[in-house]
Amino acid sequence: MTMNLKNFNEEISFLSDKVDSFHVDIMDGKFVPNLTLSPWFIEQVKTVTDTPISAHLMVEDPAFWVDELIKVNCEVICFPAERANGIAFRMIDKIHRAGLKAGVVLNPETQISEILPYVADVDKVTVMTVDPGFAGQKFVASALEKIKQLRQLRDENGYGYEIEMDGSSNRKSFKRIHDADPDIYIIGRSGLFGLEDNIEDSWNEMTKNFYDATGIPVTE
């Protein structure tokens, strides 16, 4: 959502050698008031990279979009916890039967208790550290506590999900996010794509900012 679409091939190709996955936001204009990318966009990304793609659904009808994302073989499909009641187990099972990974997303106000019935079955839990729907939202530091709680829950029960954070990950927040210790960082406009005029310089600036904040080098 935050990349420069005019430089689609250049940015995707460069980042393919740097990142573990691409994070694609899909919004329907109803769950959040914005419209962004689509399964068709994921098809286009797959023509230029073999790097796995994780779709983040911000939609009223996640079951419909799960079916569409299975059709394009999206490696990870993450549905919103707030719209999963009554269909979570079916969606997770359908995603897994397609040979793909299932994830669930917690908005800042949504508590872990909402996903406890099925958290053992998902491959990833995404913790939103901004309100969903738009880039550049205010960082919600209190949401970081959920990352710590999810790690404790995983350790105590032997669960296999990865913990991902999403929202305003940048030089101002890197230290606090690192201290919370997620497995996956989502880096968007404020942390990467908006730093410099080209993607290579932006990447170098991002890695410098992360090292300055945490003392840890970013390894490719």
Side-chain angles (χ1 to χ4, degrees):
M1 184 176 77
T2 57
M3 70 181 295
N4 185 345
L5 292 177
K6 293 186 295 184
N7 299 325
F8 175 87
N9 282 340
E10 175 189 344
E11 296 199 355
I12 294 292
S13 298
F14 176 82
L15 291 170
S16 292
D17 295 329
K18 308 289 186 182
V19 302
D20 297 309
S21 66
F22 288 107
H23 182 90
V24 177
D25 290 316
I26 297 179
M27 308 178 192
D28 62 359
K30 298 176 182 178
F31 182 74
V32 292
N34 201 1
L35 285 166
T36 52
L37 306 174
S38 68
W40 177 84
F41 178 81
I42 290 174
E43 284 189 295
Q44 303 311 301
V45 174
K46 283 181 169 290
T47 67
V48 294
T49 184
D50 293 325
T51 300
I53 297 171
S54 179
H56 174 188
L57 293 175
M58 286 171 265
V59 297
E60 286 289 326
D61 184 7
F64 169 82
W65 292 99
V66 163
D67 287 343
E68 295 302 303
L69 290 165
I70 287 174
K71 291 176 185 177
V72 299
N73 199 39
C74 182
E75 286 84 356
V76 188
I77 304 172
C78 302
F79 55 83
E82 300 80 13
R83 295 296 181 271
N85 190 34
I87 57 174
F89 287 102
R90 279 179 286 166
M91 288 193 295
I92 294 166
D93 183 60
K94 181 175 284 189
I95 293 167
H96 284 163
R97 283 191 285 110
L100 306 170
K101 293 183 178 181
V104 62
V105 185
L106 296 169
N107 285 337
E109 302 91 339
T110 306
Q111 299 303 308
I112 295 171
S113 58
E114 294 292 322
I115 64 171
L116 285 179
Y118 55 85
V119 71
D121 299 321
V122 297
D123 304 289
K124 182 165 71 172
V125 180
T126 302
V127 174
M128 294 295 293
T129 51
V130 297
D131 284 336
F134 295 89
Q137 297 294 296
K138 180 181 178 182
F139 183 74
V140 182
S142 60
L144 294 175
E145 187 61 30
K146 281 186 279 190
I147 295 175
K148 300 175 184 178
Q149 293 169 0
L150 283 164
R151 183 173 293 280
Q152 180 178 354
L153 182 68
R154 182 176 66 184
D155 292 345
E156 290 176 350
N157 294 277
Y159 295 153
Y161 56 76
E162 292 186 292
I163 304 166
E164 174 179 82
M165 66 73 53
D166 181 11
S168 198
S169 182
N170 55 46
R171 63 182 181 83
K172 295 180 180 179
S173 57
F174 279 148
K175 180 63 167 62
R176 286 179 290 178
I177 297 169
H178 174 261
D179 289 345
D181 199 20
D183 302 305
I184 303 169
Y185 292 70
I186 300 300
I187 313 293
R189 179 175 299 159
S190 65
L192 174 63
F193 292 100
L195 297 182
E196 301 290 345
D197 291 335
N198 66 79
I199 190 59
E200 183 171 3
D201 289 345
S202 293
W203 177 267
N204 291 335
E205 180 68 14
M206 183 274 289
T207 58
K208 178 181 182 300
N209 288 340
F210 188 85
Y211 179 80
D212 289 345
T214 67
I216 298 173
V218 176
T219 55
E220 298 170 12

